[in-house]
Amino acid sequence: MPSGIFWKAASMERGKYFSNVKSNRDAYNRIREYVEGFMSEITLRKYHGLGNDYLIYDPKRNEAKLQVRQIEKLCKRNIGVGADGILYGPFFHGTDIHVRIFNPDGSEAEKSGNGIRIFSKYLKDMGYVKEEQYILHTKAGETKIDFLDEDGSKMRVDMGIPGFQAGEIPAVGFGEEIVGESIFFCDNFYNATCVSVGNPNCVILLEEADRKRAMQLGPYVENSKYFPNRINMQLCKVIDFENIQIEIYERGAGYTYASGTGACAAAAASHRMGLIGDRVTVHMHGGTLFIEFGEDGRIFMTGPVVYIGKITLAEQFFA
């Protein structure tokens, strides 16, 4: 073969080789990017309000969509991160900010007082909210939040007007309102008031309220036949006209150190029965919340939030 023709042929073969290499490399990079999309780093933030701890899963910072089994696994303290629930958001509908609230068993809650404060602190920390006042949307509707300090660690939340109608709870087998009713749970009759503060609550008045009793009675109240959607329970001791103490057993979560909606519900029940005034401190295992009642019966809750830290999950955690 003449030398010119040989080198021309060799150049053509070499061009095909390098073209194939480039093509293979491009394909490899596309596959790697595709795989890394499923194995990308998953990050969460953890906060607590008086020991009631939540994980925040931000869809703008994570690609994977949360599923029930993943929520259950994340919230378990021995095999997951551990939490009293998941705050999934923010989601933006126009200028409205929304969050979804999940219990440790994967069920979705309508509202959470501590969850609202925690998520508000997160929005402030991440720069989503810069104003001193804003409105957050949950499954129960809109809630107005006022930040009381510069870093958003303390806030006042408008929790709305409590409802005592059986249909608002919902509860079956009762008249219009459930206030100071004698209701049978487990092995006895209890003085109970049912109230909606965006989610359902059963407040049981007792002379003494402790964790052991809450743990024993809680499952029976939560899953009682009276409450088709289940219910949160608060055992409530009225200390004086300005102080009450509660123990909490939450629907889908069990015993918890504190609850914002639980504190509001217990205060609303006590206020309705004339046992407290318009300003009351609610004492819980994890600390205290300050509750005020407006002239129209509206509840305002004031309390703190603490940032715990950023958590990075192993790539295979959601596998």
Side-chain angles (χ1 to χ4, degrees):
M1 180 184 294
S3 60
I5 296 175
F6 172 80
W7 286 112
K8 185 176 180 181
S11 296
M12 290 175 64
E13 289 300 316
R14 189 165 60 248
K16 289 179 182 178
Y17 171 76
F18 283 111
S19 176
N20 288 336
V21 169
K22 184 178 184 300
S23 176
N24 291 337
R25 187 167 60 244
D26 290 344
Y28 168 78
N29 287 335
R30 286 196 297 271
I31 293 170
R32 186 180 65 182
E33 289 172 5
Y34 180 78
V35 171
E36 286 178 350
F38 286 96
M39 299 184 67
S40 58
E41 198 174 72
I42 298 167
T43 60
L44 306 99
R45 304 273 174 154
K46 190 172 185 180
Y47 295 75
H48 80 85
L50 305 177
N52 188 202
D53 57 340
Y54 277 88
L55 292 167
I56 295 173
Y57 189 89
D58 189 336
K60 293 189 172 298
R61 288 172 163 78
N62 294 288
E63 294 179 2
K65 291 185 178 180
L66 277 183
Q67 300 174 10
V68 171
R69 64 178 182 85
Q70 294 165 342
I71 292 169
E72 292 175 327
K73 190 175 179 182
L74 278 169
C75 289
K76 288 182 179 177
R77 300 189 185 276
N78 294 323
I79 63 170
V81 179
D84 289 326
I86 302 284
L87 303 174
Y88 188 19
F91 297 97
F92 292 90
H93 300 166
T95 58
D96 294 343
I97 304 175
H98 293 249
V99 64
R100 299 180 67 186
I101 304 166
F102 290 96
N103 296 314
D105 66 355
S107 60
E108 187 169 1
E110 301 89 346
K111 195 173 185 177
S112 164
N114 281 335
I116 286 170
R117 295 201 322 279
I118 286 170
F119 196 70
S120 297
K121 166 68 170 160
Y122 173 76
L123 293 176
K124 192 81 165 176
D125 288 348
M126 303 306 292
Y128 288 117
V129 171
K130 294 180 172 62
E131 300 79 11
E132 291 183 1
Q133 182 186 95
Y134 88 105
I135 291 174
L136 178 65
H137 295 259
T138 69
K139 192 177 179 182
E142 65 178 45
T143 302
K144 185 171 71 175
I145 297 98
D146 287 281
F147 294 104
L148 302 180
D149 54 16
E150 191 172 338
D151 69 350
S153 293
K154 188 176 183 180
M155 60 207 79
R156 187 174 187 255
V157 181
D158 181 348
M159 295 293 286
I161 298 174
F164 297 91
Q165 297 289 326
E168 294 179 86
I169 310 300
V172 296
F174 299 95
E176 290 186 1
E177 291 188 337
I178 309 171
V179 178
E181 289 275 351
S182 181
I183 304 178
F184 188 85
F185 296 114
C186 183
D187 60 353
N188 208 343
F189 284 92
Y190 293 89
N191 183 334
T193 296
C194 294
V195 54
S196 172
V197 287
N199 63 4
N201 297 271
C202 179
V203 182
I204 296 175
L205 285 178
L206 295 172
E207 292 184 2
E208 295 296 332
D210 57 44
R211 176 175 179 167
K212 182 178 179 182
R213 197 153 190 189
M215 294 283 286
Q216 291 172 341
L217 190 57
Y220 292 98
V221 177
E222 177 194 1
N223 299 290
S224 170
K225 63 182 180 180
Y226 306 123
F227 311 118
N229 295 340
R230 299 187 295 167
I231 202 163
N232 303 300
M233 182 199 76
Q234 298 85 35
L235 302 184
C236 180
K237 174 186 176 181
V238 177
I239 300 171
D240 56 38
F241 207 59
E242 298 179 345
N243 294 274
I244 62 175
Q245 179 235 327
I246 65 172
E247 295 288 344
I248 306 147
Y249 194 93
E250 291 201 311
R251 174 184 60 167
Y255 181 84
T256 54
Y257 279 24
S259 168
T261 49
C264 291
S270 302
H271 189 263
R272 177 61 185 271
M273 290 185 281
L275 302 174
I276 60 169
D278 291 340
R279 296 158 64 90
V280 62
T281 299
V282 182
H283 301 259
M284 296 168 284
H285 185 88
T288 62
L289 287 173
F290 183 61
I291 307 297
E292 301 168 274
F293 292 89
E295 291 183 0
D296 61 352
R298 188 172 296 274
I299 301 174
F300 296 92
M301 171 189 65
T302 300
V305 171
V306 175
Y307 174 54
I308 297 172
K310 179 180 178 181
I311 297 163
T312 303
L313 298 179
E315 291 178 346
Q316 67 270 23
F317 185 84
F318 277 176

